[in-house]
Amino acid sequence: MASHIVGYPRMGPKRELKFALESFWDKKSSAEDLQKVAADLRSSIWKQMSDAGIKYIPSNTFSYYDQVLDATSMLGAVPPRYGWNGGEIGFDTYFSMARGNASVPAMEMTKWFDTNYHFIVPELGPDVNFSYASHKAVDEYKEAKALGVNTVPVLIGPVSYLLLSKPAKGVEKTFSLLSLLPKILPIYKEVISELKAAGASWIQFDEPTLVLDLDSHKLQAFTAAYDDLESTLSGLNVLIETYFADLTAEAYKTLIGLKGVTAYGLDLVRGAQTLDLVKSNFPKGKYLFAGVVDGRNIWANDLAASFSTLKELEAVVGKENLVVSTSCSLLHTAVDLVNETKLDDEIKSWLAFAAQKVVEVNALAKALAGQKDEAFFSANAAAQASRKSSPRVTNEAVQKAAAALKGSDHRRATNVSARLDAQQKKLNLPILPTTTIGSFPQTLELRRVRREFKANKISEDDYIKAIKEEIKKVVDLQEELDIDVLVHGEPERNDMVEYFGEQLSGFAFTVNGWVQSYGSRCVKPPIIYGDVSRPKPMTVFWSSTAQSMTARPMKGMLTGPVTILNWSFVRNDQPRLTFNDL
């Protein structure tokens, strides 16, 4: 039984790529230095998967900034403002598109579906002259092959690339991006031909837009694209990978009808209905890459449950045609649990970061092949049971409070006009009062003070004194500017989510649980592992301290619950709606 990983984090277990990128951007290191760090990371990732027993190992999922920007480079779709004159796209043009430069702004960045990753949006129009301008996919395939690892090169699929693009400035908003399909397919054919010549036997096209609610015209574009590519793909095994949600019945029908396609990768974590579609109709002789290990979260897989699902699928698609996979790229989870030195053993036993998920995928594949690691499965079952029964997870007071909530609790007892009248009598604000959103810039000195307090190098009294001094500066500045409603600047806060999570029960925090947000920017999401409660006041001290410094109104600043939820690794043992209720 075979195993597959859709993609893997690029930053490195301790953000090695981040620091190499920023050093290069600051002109403290050379392009060769950056390339060496990148090559070492790629090599270690491929070796890790190979040593774990993964059969279908991806290449070209590494990126210096963003995989969609890599596709833009491959297609030579560089906006004219960057002054690119053809040839292989180098770092100067690539990073100018990503970050802008002294002369021109960067390309737009937006969220990658409903994740917290952001991609660089292609800017396209009828006059774009596409050309094969980045050989990265072929180069990285050859690089892995030279290391003795035969990989599956991964490309953003042509239809998803266009559907994720936007009309360039000056192009009509109604311009059909899909009309460019005949112009980009020749580039894809060149890449495919080079990969075949280099020895590739499999190729993976990521077509995540198939999970969107697409009309028939857009679905027909997939059919047209792969019809056109069919002869070029001849001799290759072709995997179409989808993720993040269910496929509609029409999208599934389109997917399994694509010509020249050998295998289908499906997210079976967020795609329960897709599982039903597979059971009701799966094309004979095709491979199913079953995404049963969650690539979006950090919880250990319930191996027994996944094994049961896989056995059901085995009866549908055939033993030899079932491949165990991740639900999506592991880009969206932390890298390696081994580097977490401050999490206690109980919580760690409930978790699996990217490196551990690779092991889980292979363990499931081996179990299906009759080589079940009983000790590994038993330890996993024990951890699952521990998590379900742990008093750290279930808080009776929270459960009772949640159960007692009524619909009326979500609505205020007084109407808006009454509240506005009371507010005006209390605050006497002008018709258009001025204020700021909340946080002021965190200076290097401020960060030093917080870092030293955390390391016990200064006393709590010294820390409070320093924060009060910073708040006083912020208050004085706002009064000088005649701001009506003041803020305290939030100098005591390290992160708008982490600060509150550290004061709530049911949250855990990592040391190296970094996840790429965009470029070199990484975030370290809190882990919500149990029922959430507030043991003590969180902001009263600093808000009241700030209010004592002024006669003007001082806002209390809270990060909202939906933001905390969306910027955390949340529990997978209850619906997300439950968190919103608490």
mmCIF file of all heavy atoms in Angstrom, residues 66-68 107-122 160 163-165 208-209 212 243-244 270 296 331-332 516-518 523 562-568 576:
data_model
loop_
_atom_site.group_PDB
_atom_site.id
_atom_site.type_symbol
_atom_site.label_atom_id
_atom_site.label_comp_id
_atom_site.label_asym_id
_atom_site.label_seq_id
_atom_site.Cartn_x
_atom_site.Cartn_y
_atom_site.Cartn_z
ATOM 1 N N ASP A 66 6.237 32.199 -2.483
ATOM 2 C CA ASP A 66 4.860 31.747 -2.645
ATOM 3 C C ASP A 66 4.741 30.868 -3.887
ATOM 4 O O ASP A 66 5.327 31.171 -4.930
ATOM 5 C CB ASP A 66 3.929 32.961 -2.777
ATOM 6 C CG ASP A 66 2.550 32.590 -3.288
ATOM 7 O OD1 ASP A 66 1.921 31.726 -2.656
ATOM 8 O OD2 ASP A 66 2.119 33.147 -4.311
ATOM 9 N N GLN A 67 3.953 29.793 -3.780
ATOM 10 C CA GLN A 67 3.838 28.852 -4.893
ATOM 11 C C GLN A 67 3.079 29.429 -6.092
ATOM 12 O O GLN A 67 3.353 29.049 -7.238
ATOM 13 C CB GLN A 67 3.165 27.538 -4.428
ATOM 14 C CG GLN A 67 1.681 27.630 -4.083
ATOM 15 C CD GLN A 67 1.439 27.942 -2.621
ATOM 16 O OE1 GLN A 67 2.340 28.413 -1.912
ATOM 17 N NE2 GLN A 67 0.232 27.668 -2.136
ATOM 18 N N VAL A 68 2.139 30.346 -5.849
ATOM 19 C CA VAL A 68 1.431 30.955 -6.981
ATOM 20 C C VAL A 68 2.353 31.931 -7.704
ATOM 21 O O VAL A 68 2.357 32.012 -8.940
ATOM 22 C CB VAL A 68 0.128 31.638 -6.522
ATOM 23 C CG1 VAL A 68 -0.605 32.255 -7.717
ATOM 24 C CG2 VAL A 68 -0.785 30.643 -5.814
ATOM 25 N N MET A 107 2.929 43.170 -5.953
ATOM 26 C CA MET A 107 1.644 42.666 -6.431
ATOM 27 C C MET A 107 0.729 42.435 -5.236
ATOM 28 O O MET A 107 1.198 42.295 -4.090
ATOM 29 C CB MET A 107 1.857 41.369 -7.219
ATOM 30 C CG MET A 107 2.658 41.576 -8.497
ATOM 31 S SD MET A 107 3.191 40.033 -9.296
ATOM 32 C CE MET A 107 1.629 39.396 -9.897
ATOM 33 N N GLU A 108 -0.553 42.379 -5.492
ATOM 34 C CA GLU A 108 -1.530 42.192 -4.414
ATOM 35 C C GLU A 108 -1.363 40.816 -3.758
ATOM 36 O O GLU A 108 -1.007 39.830 -4.411
ATOM 37 C CB GLU A 108 -2.950 42.311 -4.968
ATOM 38 C CG GLU A 108 -4.048 42.122 -3.919
ATOM 39 C CD GLU A 108 -5.429 42.029 -4.523
ATOM 40 O OE1 GLU A 108 -5.628 42.505 -5.659
ATOM 41 O OE2 GLU A 108 -6.320 41.474 -3.874
ATOM 42 N N MET A 109 -1.649 40.782 -2.471
ATOM 43 C CA MET A 109 -1.605 39.529 -1.724
ATOM 44 C C MET A 109 -2.992 39.292 -1.124
ATOM 45 O O MET A 109 -3.643 40.227 -0.658
ATOM 46 C CB MET A 109 -0.558 39.636 -0.621
ATOM 47 C CG MET A 109 -0.327 38.386 0.194
ATOM 48 S SD MET A 109 1.165 38.557 1.211
ATOM 49 C CE MET A 109 0.768 40.006 2.196
ATOM 50 N N THR A 110 -3.455 38.049 -1.148
ATOM 51 C CA THR A 110 -4.749 37.741 -0.537
ATOM 52 C C THR A 110 -4.717 36.342 0.061
ATOM 53 O O THR A 110 -3.786 35.569 -0.179
ATOM 54 C CB THR A 110 -5.890 37.875 -1.574
ATOM 55 O OG1 THR A 110 -7.141 37.929 -0.894
ATOM 56 C CG2 THR A 110 -5.903 36.699 -2.547
ATOM 57 N N LYS A 111 -5.745 36.026 0.838
ATOM 58 C CA LYS A 111 -5.759 34.743 1.552
ATOM 59 C C LYS A 111 -5.926 33.572 0.595
ATOM 60 O O LYS A 111 -6.672 33.646 -0.384
ATOM 61 C CB LYS A 111 -6.876 34.724 2.597
ATOM 62 C CG LYS A 111 -6.584 35.602 3.796
ATOM 63 C CD LYS A 111 -7.624 35.432 4.892
ATOM 64 C CE LYS A 111 -7.484 34.118 5.588
ATOM 65 N NZ LYS A 111 -8.266 34.041 6.833
ATOM 66 N N TRP A 112 -5.212 32.503 0.915
ATOM 67 C CA TRP A 112 -5.288 31.247 0.167
ATOM 68 C C TRP A 112 -6.492 30.479 0.684
ATOM 69 O O TRP A 112 -6.446 29.861 1.735
ATOM 70 C CB TRP A 112 -3.982 30.477 0.363
ATOM 71 C CG TRP A 112 -3.822 29.152 -0.302
ATOM 72 C CD1 TRP A 112 -3.681 27.951 0.339
ATOM 73 C CD2 TRP A 112 -3.716 28.863 -1.708
ATOM 74 N NE1 TRP A 112 -3.497 26.944 -0.578
ATOM 75 C CE2 TRP A 112 -3.525 27.472 -1.849
ATOM 76 C CE3 TRP A 112 -3.782 29.650 -2.855
ATOM 77 C CZ2 TRP A 112 -3.383 26.851 -3.079
ATOM 78 C CZ3 TRP A 112 -3.643 29.032 -4.085
ATOM 79 C CH2 TRP A 112 -3.446 27.659 -4.190
ATOM 80 N N PHE A 113 -7.609 30.613 -0.033
ATOM 81 C CA PHE A 113 -8.877 30.007 0.377
ATOM 82 C C PHE A 113 -9.197 30.446 1.810
ATOM 83 O O PHE A 113 -9.095 31.631 2.110
ATOM 84 C CB PHE A 113 -8.823 28.486 0.194
ATOM 85 C CG PHE A 113 -8.694 28.101 -1.266
ATOM 86 C CD1 PHE A 113 -7.456 28.133 -1.902
ATOM 87 C CD2 PHE A 113 -9.797 27.772 -2.025
ATOM 88 C CE1 PHE A 113 -7.333 27.833 -3.253
ATOM 89 C CE2 PHE A 113 -9.691 27.468 -3.374
ATOM 90 C CZ PHE A 113 -8.455 27.498 -3.992
ATOM 91 N N ASP A 114 -9.546 29.526 2.705
ATOM 92 C CA ASP A 114 -9.904 29.944 4.070
ATOM 93 C C ASP A 114 -8.789 29.657 5.064
ATOM 94 O O ASP A 114 -9.027 29.506 6.259
ATOM 95 C CB ASP A 114 -11.211 29.277 4.523
ATOM 96 C CG ASP A 114 -11.107 27.760 4.579
ATOM 97 O OD1 ASP A 114 -10.133 27.196 4.031
ATOM 98 O OD2 ASP A 114 -11.998 27.125 5.178
ATOM 99 N N THR A 115 -7.538 29.609 4.570
ATOM 100 C CA THR A 115 -6.398 29.407 5.465
ATOM 101 C C THR A 115 -5.858 30.765 5.913
ATOM 102 O O THR A 115 -6.330 31.814 5.469
ATOM 103 C CB THR A 115 -5.272 28.631 4.765
ATOM 104 O OG1 THR A 115 -4.636 29.495 3.811
ATOM 105 C CG2 THR A 115 -5.807 27.387 4.052
ATOM 106 N N ASN A 116 -4.832 30.758 6.749
ATOM 107 C CA ASN A 116 -4.156 31.990 7.135
ATOM 108 C C ASN A 116 -2.881 32.207 6.326
ATOM 109 O O ASN A 116 -2.053 33.052 6.680
ATOM 110 C CB ASN A 116 -3.853 31.981 8.636
ATOM 111 C CG ASN A 116 -5.115 32.204 9.451
ATOM 112 O OD1 ASN A 116 -6.007 32.936 9.039
ATOM 113 N ND2 ASN A 116 -5.213 31.548 10.600
ATOM 114 N N TYR A 117 -2.717 31.434 5.261
ATOM 115 C CA TYR A 117 -1.630 31.651 4.308
ATOM 116 C C TYR A 117 -2.109 32.658 3.264
ATOM 117 O O TYR A 117 -3.296 32.730 2.952
ATOM 118 C CB TYR A 117 -1.247 30.322 3.632
ATOM 119 C CG TYR A 117 -0.162 30.461 2.584
ATOM 120 C CD1 TYR A 117 1.171 30.574 2.959
ATOM 121 C CD2 TYR A 117 -0.475 30.483 1.228
ATOM 122 C CE1 TYR A 117 2.169 30.709 2.005
ATOM 123 C CE2 TYR A 117 0.514 30.625 0.268
ATOM 124 C CZ TYR A 117 1.829 30.734 0.661
ATOM 125 O OH TYR A 117 2.818 30.874 -0.278
ATOM 126 N N HIS A 118 -1.179 33.452 2.721
ATOM 127 C CA HIS A 118 -1.522 34.459 1.723
ATOM 128 C C HIS A 118 -0.673 34.244 0.471
ATOM 129 O O HIS A 118 0.520 33.983 0.567
ATOM 130 C CB HIS A 118 -1.265 35.868 2.268
ATOM 131 C CG HIS A 118 -2.063 36.184 3.496
ATOM 132 N ND1 HIS A 118 -1.772 35.643 4.748
ATOM 133 C CD2 HIS A 118 -3.152 36.972 3.678
ATOM 134 C CE1 HIS A 118 -2.650 36.100 5.623
ATOM 135 N NE2 HIS A 118 -3.490 36.897 5.012
ATOM 136 N N PHE A 119 -1.303 34.387 -0.690
ATOM 137 C CA PHE A 119 -0.578 34.201 -1.941
ATOM 138 C C PHE A 119 -0.549 35.491 -2.752
ATOM 139 O O PHE A 119 -1.346 36.410 -2.525
ATOM 140 C CB PHE A 119 -1.191 33.053 -2.760
ATOM 141 C CG PHE A 119 -2.518 33.357 -3.414
ATOM 142 C CD1 PHE A 119 -2.591 33.763 -4.743
ATOM 143 C CD2 PHE A 119 -3.717 33.216 -2.715
ATOM 144 C CE1 PHE A 119 -3.807 34.034 -5.359
ATOM 145 C CE2 PHE A 119 -4.940 33.479 -3.311
ATOM 146 C CZ PHE A 119 -4.987 33.894 -4.649
ATOM 147 N N ILE A 120 0.388 35.545 -3.692
ATOM 148 C CA ILE A 120 0.539 36.712 -4.560
ATOM 149 C C ILE A 120 -0.379 36.534 -5.768
ATOM 150 O O ILE A 120 -0.243 35.576 -6.521
ATOM 151 C CB ILE A 120 1.998 36.878 -5.020
ATOM 152 C CG1 ILE A 120 2.938 36.979 -3.799
ATOM 153 C CG2 ILE A 120 2.138 38.102 -5.921
ATOM 154 C CD1 ILE A 120 2.730 38.200 -2.944
ATOM 155 N N VAL A 121 -1.310 37.463 -5.941
ATOM 156 C CA VAL A 121 -2.344 37.332 -6.966
ATOM 157 C C VAL A 121 -1.791 37.708 -8.348
ATOM 158 O O VAL A 121 -1.317 38.836 -8.535
ATOM 159 C CB VAL A 121 -3.553 38.237 -6.635
ATOM 160 C CG1 VAL A 121 -4.647 38.069 -7.684
ATOM 161 C CG2 VAL A 121 -4.084 37.930 -5.239
ATOM 162 N N PRO A 122 -1.855 36.797 -9.325
ATOM 163 C CA PRO A 122 -1.403 37.133 -10.681
ATOM 164 C C PRO A 122 -2.243 38.258 -11.274
ATOM 165 O O PRO A 122 -3.450 38.337 -11.049
ATOM 166 C CB PRO A 122 -1.604 35.821 -11.456
ATOM 167 C CG PRO A 122 -1.634 34.747 -10.406
ATOM 168 C CD PRO A 122 -2.271 35.380 -9.209
ATOM 169 N N SER A 160 -6.904 26.472 -12.191
ATOM 170 C CA SER A 160 -6.879 27.140 -10.882
ATOM 171 C C SER A 160 -6.015 28.391 -10.927
ATOM 172 O O SER A 160 -6.344 29.420 -10.316
ATOM 173 C CB SER A 160 -6.372 26.184 -9.800
ATOM 174 O OG SER A 160 -7.348 25.212 -9.500
ATOM 175 N N LEU A 163 -8.173 31.072 -12.432
ATOM 176 C CA LEU A 163 -9.303 31.437 -11.577
ATOM 177 C C LEU A 163 -8.853 32.189 -10.322
ATOM 178 O O LEU A 163 -9.643 32.922 -9.718
ATOM 179 C CB LEU A 163 -10.098 30.189 -11.186
ATOM 180 C CG LEU A 163 -10.878 29.512 -12.323
ATOM 181 C CD1 LEU A 163 -11.572 28.247 -11.808
ATOM 182 C CD2 LEU A 163 -11.907 30.467 -12.931
ATOM 183 N N LEU A 164 -7.606 32.027 -9.929
ATOM 184 C CA LEU A 164 -7.076 32.725 -8.757
ATOM 185 C C LEU A 164 -6.440 34.066 -9.125
ATOM 186 O O LEU A 164 -5.958 34.784 -8.253
ATOM 187 C CB LEU A 164 -6.041 31.843 -8.049
ATOM 188 C CG LEU A 164 -6.592 30.570 -7.382
ATOM 189 C CD1 LEU A 164 -5.461 29.639 -6.967
ATOM 190 C CD2 LEU A 164 -7.467 30.920 -6.180
ATOM 191 N N SER A 165 -6.435 34.389 -10.414
ATOM 192 C CA SER A 165 -5.841 35.635 -10.898
ATOM 193 C C SER A 165 -6.861 36.768 -10.880
ATOM 194 O O SER A 165 -8.043 36.563 -10.579
ATOM 195 C CB SER A 165 -5.315 35.439 -12.323
ATOM 196 O OG SER A 165 -4.367 34.386 -12.370
ATOM 197 N N PRO A 208 -7.146 23.284 -6.638
ATOM 198 C CA PRO A 208 -8.036 23.460 -5.477
ATOM 199 C C PRO A 208 -9.313 24.221 -5.776
ATOM 200 O O PRO A 208 -10.287 24.122 -5.023
ATOM 201 C CB PRO A 208 -7.158 24.218 -4.472
ATOM 202 C CG PRO A 208 -6.144 24.930 -5.317
ATOM 203 C CD PRO A 208 -5.869 24.002 -6.460
ATOM 204 N N THR A 209 -9.353 24.988 -6.866
ATOM 205 C CA THR A 209 -10.578 25.745 -7.165
ATOM 206 C C THR A 209 -11.738 24.821 -7.522
ATOM 207 O O THR A 209 -12.885 25.273 -7.556
ATOM 208 C CB THR A 209 -10.353 26.756 -8.312
ATOM 209 O OG1 THR A 209 -9.857 26.062 -9.454
ATOM 210 C CG2 THR A 209 -9.374 27.834 -7.899
ATOM 211 N N LEU A 212 -14.639 25.019 -5.157
ATOM 212 C CA LEU A 212 -15.494 26.196 -5.116
ATOM 213 C C LEU A 212 -16.818 25.907 -5.832
ATOM 214 O O LEU A 212 -16.948 24.918 -6.544
ATOM 215 C CB LEU A 212 -14.786 27.387 -5.770
ATOM 216 C CG LEU A 212 -13.437 27.787 -5.160
ATOM 217 C CD1 LEU A 212 -12.820 28.936 -5.950
ATOM 218 C CD2 LEU A 212 -13.581 28.164 -3.689
ATOM 219 N N TYR A 243 -8.378 20.147 -2.485
ATOM 220 C CA TYR A 243 -8.346 20.197 -1.015
ATOM 221 C C TYR A 243 -9.148 21.366 -0.471
ATOM 222 O O TYR A 243 -9.559 22.242 -1.197
ATOM 223 C CB TYR A 243 -6.910 20.264 -0.483
ATOM 224 C CG TYR A 243 -5.925 21.064 -1.312
ATOM 225 C CD1 TYR A 243 -5.906 22.447 -1.288
ATOM 226 C CD2 TYR A 243 -4.999 20.415 -2.125
ATOM 227 C CE1 TYR A 243 -4.986 23.176 -2.031
ATOM 228 C CE2 TYR A 243 -4.074 21.130 -2.884
ATOM 229 C CZ TYR A 243 -4.068 22.508 -2.826
ATOM 230 O OH TYR A 243 -3.161 23.222 -3.574
ATOM 231 N N PHE A 244 -9.363 21.314 0.844
ATOM 232 C CA PHE A 244 -10.007 22.341 1.673
ATOM 233 C C PHE A 244 -11.515 22.221 1.803
ATOM 234 O O PHE A 244 -12.106 22.900 2.639
ATOM 235 C CB PHE A 244 -9.674 23.765 1.223
ATOM 236 C CG PHE A 244 -8.221 24.122 1.286
ATOM 237 C CD1 PHE A 244 -7.676 25.025 0.390
ATOM 238 C CD2 PHE A 244 -7.384 23.563 2.241
ATOM 239 C CE1 PHE A 244 -6.336 25.371 0.449
ATOM 240 C CE2 PHE A 244 -6.036 23.898 2.307
ATOM 241 C CZ PHE A 244 -5.518 24.805 1.404
ATOM 242 N N ARG A 270 -12.140 17.451 5.436
ATOM 243 C CA ARG A 270 -13.175 18.474 5.283
ATOM 244 C C ARG A 270 -14.172 18.099 4.196
ATOM 245 O O ARG A 270 -15.016 18.911 3.841
ATOM 246 C CB ARG A 270 -12.528 19.816 4.961
ATOM 247 C CG ARG A 270 -11.663 20.343 6.105
ATOM 248 C CD ARG A 270 -11.293 21.783 5.891
ATOM 249 N NE ARG A 270 -10.679 22.331 7.099
ATOM 250 C CZ ARG A 270 -10.777 23.592 7.492
ATOM 251 N NH1 ARG A 270 -11.479 24.444 6.774
ATOM 252 N NH2 ARG A 270 -10.196 24.000 8.592
ATOM 253 N N ARG A 296 -4.349 20.643 8.061
ATOM 254 C CA ARG A 296 -4.711 21.980 8.518
ATOM 255 C C ARG A 296 -4.638 22.152 10.029
ATOM 256 O O ARG A 296 -4.838 23.255 10.525
ATOM 257 C CB ARG A 296 -6.150 22.304 8.063
ATOM 258 C CG ARG A 296 -6.375 22.421 6.574
ATOM 259 C CD ARG A 296 -6.026 23.790 6.060
ATOM 260 N NE ARG A 296 -6.792 24.847 6.682
ATOM 261 C CZ ARG A 296 -7.931 25.347 6.202
ATOM 262 N NH1 ARG A 296 -8.452 24.859 5.097
ATOM 263 N NH2 ARG A 296 -8.545 26.327 6.816
ATOM 264 N N LEU A 331 1.905 22.544 4.666
ATOM 265 C CA LEU A 331 2.326 23.938 4.785
ATOM 266 C C LEU A 331 1.580 24.664 5.895
ATOM 267 O O LEU A 331 2.100 25.602 6.511
ATOM 268 C CB LEU A 331 2.055 24.632 3.446
ATOM 269 C CG LEU A 331 2.256 26.140 3.335
ATOM 270 C CD1 LEU A 331 3.738 26.473 3.421
ATOM 271 C CD2 LEU A 331 1.674 26.661 2.021
ATOM 272 N N HIS A 332 0.356 24.216 6.179
ATOM 273 C CA HIS A 332 -0.535 24.950 7.084
ATOM 274 C C HIS A 332 -0.439 24.476 8.538
ATOM 275 O O HIS A 332 -1.233 24.901 9.377
ATOM 276 C CB HIS A 332 -1.971 24.837 6.591
ATOM 277 C CG HIS A 332 -2.097 25.205 5.144
ATOM 278 N ND1 HIS A 332 -1.971 26.493 4.693
ATOM 279 C CD2 HIS A 332 -2.293 24.436 4.033
ATOM 280 C CE1 HIS A 332 -2.089 26.518 3.372
ATOM 281 N NE2 HIS A 332 -2.289 25.287 2.948
ATOM 282 N N GLN A 516 3.961 29.463 8.192
ATOM 283 C CA GLN A 516 4.143 30.569 7.250
ATOM 284 C C GLN A 516 2.809 31.259 6.979
ATOM 285 O O GLN A 516 1.808 30.618 6.681
ATOM 286 C CB GLN A 516 4.737 30.044 5.940
ATOM 287 C CG GLN A 516 5.062 31.136 4.934
ATOM 288 C CD GLN A 516 5.601 30.581 3.628
ATOM 289 O OE1 GLN A 516 5.484 29.398 3.350
ATOM 290 N NE2 GLN A 516 6.198 31.431 2.820
ATOM 291 N N SER A 517 2.822 32.584 7.068
ATOM 292 C CA SER A 517 1.662 33.389 6.710
ATOM 293 C C SER A 517 1.827 33.934 5.294
ATOM 294 O O SER A 517 0.932 33.836 4.467
ATOM 295 C CB SER A 517 1.471 34.535 7.703
ATOM 296 O OG SER A 517 0.408 35.366 7.323
ATOM 297 N N TYR A 518 3.003 34.498 5.020
ATOM 298 C CA TYR A 518 3.369 34.918 3.668
ATOM 299 C C TYR A 518 4.866 35.217 3.670
ATOM 300 O O TYR A 518 5.428 35.630 4.687
ATOM 301 C CB TYR A 518 2.583 36.151 3.211
ATOM 302 C CG TYR A 518 2.822 37.380 4.055
ATOM 303 C CD1 TYR A 518 3.857 38.258 3.776
ATOM 304 C CD2 TYR A 518 2.011 37.662 5.152
ATOM 305 C CE1 TYR A 518 4.095 39.380 4.560
ATOM 306 C CE2 TYR A 518 2.226 38.774 5.943
ATOM 307 C CZ TYR A 518 3.265 39.635 5.644
ATOM 308 O OH TYR A 518 3.496 40.743 6.419
ATOM 309 N N VAL A 523 3.733 32.955 11.814
ATOM 310 C CA VAL A 523 2.939 33.140 13.027
ATOM 311 C C VAL A 523 3.018 31.868 13.857
ATOM 312 O O VAL A 523 3.317 30.784 13.349
ATOM 313 C CB VAL A 523 1.469 33.472 12.696
ATOM 314 C CG1 VAL A 523 1.377 34.827 12.014
ATOM 315 C CG2 VAL A 523 0.845 32.406 11.813
ATOM 316 N N VAL A 562 -13.909 35.676 17.383
ATOM 317 C CA VAL A 562 -13.798 35.028 16.068
ATOM 318 C C VAL A 562 -12.371 35.124 15.556
ATOM 319 O O VAL A 562 -11.836 34.170 14.971
ATOM 320 C CB VAL A 562 -14.793 35.657 15.067
ATOM 321 C CG1 VAL A 562 -14.601 35.064 13.679
ATOM 322 C CG2 VAL A 562 -16.223 35.427 15.538
ATOM 323 N N THR A 563 -11.714 36.266 15.797
ATOM 324 C CA THR A 563 -10.306 36.401 15.408
ATOM 325 C C THR A 563 -9.443 35.414 16.184
ATOM 326 O O THR A 563 -8.569 34.757 15.615
ATOM 327 C CB THR A 563 -9.823 37.843 15.648
ATOM 328 O OG1 THR A 563 -10.556 38.718 14.793
ATOM 329 C CG2 THR A 563 -8.342 37.979 15.347
ATOM 330 N N ILE A 564 -9.674 35.302 17.483
ATOM 331 C CA ILE A 564 -8.907 34.339 18.284
ATOM 332 C C ILE A 564 -9.120 32.924 17.749
ATOM 333 O O ILE A 564 -8.173 32.140 17.611
ATOM 334 C CB ILE A 564 -9.300 34.438 19.766
ATOM 335 C CG1 ILE A 564 -8.809 35.775 20.350
ATOM 336 C CG2 ILE A 564 -8.726 33.264 20.562
ATOM 337 C CD1 ILE A 564 -9.206 36.012 21.796
ATOM 338 N N LEU A 565 -10.349 32.610 17.411
ATOM 339 C CA LEU A 565 -10.662 31.278 16.874
ATOM 340 C C LEU A 565 -9.944 31.040 15.555
ATOM 341 O O LEU A 565 -9.299 30.002 15.359
ATOM 342 C CB LEU A 565 -12.176 31.158 16.689
ATOM 343 C CG LEU A 565 -12.691 29.892 16.003
ATOM 344 C CD1 LEU A 565 -12.471 28.681 16.897
ATOM 345 C CD2 LEU A 565 -14.167 30.037 15.668
ATOM 346 N N ASN A 566 -10.022 32.007 14.651
ATOM 347 C CA ASN A 566 -9.464 31.813 13.314
ATOM 348 C C ASN A 566 -7.950 31.883 13.277
ATOM 349 O O ASN A 566 -7.330 31.423 12.317
ATOM 350 C CB ASN A 566 -10.052 32.840 12.343
ATOM 351 C CG ASN A 566 -11.501 32.537 12.004
ATOM 352 O OD1 ASN A 566 -11.924 31.394 12.057
ATOM 353 N ND2 ASN A 566 -12.259 33.564 11.657
ATOM 354 N N TRP A 567 -7.340 32.446 14.295
ATOM 355 C CA TRP A 567 -5.882 32.548 14.328
ATOM 356 C C TRP A 567 -5.264 31.533 15.282
ATOM 357 O O TRP A 567 -4.114 31.674 15.679
ATOM 358 C CB TRP A 567 -5.463 33.967 14.722
ATOM 359 C CG TRP A 567 -5.698 34.974 13.632
ATOM 360 C CD1 TRP A 567 -6.425 34.783 12.482
ATOM 361 C CD2 TRP A 567 -5.221 36.321 13.588
ATOM 362 N NE1 TRP A 567 -6.424 35.933 11.729
ATOM 363 C CE2 TRP A 567 -5.697 36.890 12.368
ATOM 364 C CE3 TRP A 567 -4.436 37.092 14.431
ATOM 365 C CZ2 TRP A 567 -5.410 38.200 12.004
ATOM 366 C CZ3 TRP A 567 -4.156 38.397 14.068
ATOM 367 C CH2 TRP A 567 -4.630 38.946 12.876
ATOM 368 N N SER A 568 -6.027 30.525 15.645
ATOM 369 C CA SER A 568 -5.538 29.474 16.540
ATOM 370 C C SER A 568 -5.693 28.116 15.875
ATOM 371 O O SER A 568 -6.456 27.952 14.920
ATOM 372 C CB SER A 568 -6.327 29.478 17.857
ATOM 373 O OG SER A 568 -6.220 30.707 18.525
ATOM 374 N N ARG A 576 -16.983 23.930 14.889
ATOM 375 C CA ARG A 576 -16.452 25.275 15.098
ATOM 376 C C ARG A 576 -17.506 26.214 15.671
ATOM 377 O O ARG A 576 -17.187 27.115 16.447
ATOM 378 C CB ARG A 576 -15.930 25.853 13.784
ATOM 379 C CG ARG A 576 -14.684 25.168 13.280
ATOM 380 C CD ARG A 576 -14.282 25.704 11.924
ATOM 381 N NE ARG A 576 -13.760 27.048 11.993
ATOM 382 C CZ ARG A 576 -12.483 27.357 12.236
ATOM 383 N NH1 ARG A 576 -11.603 26.387 12.442
ATOM 384 N NH2 ARG A 576 -12.074 28.598 12.279
#
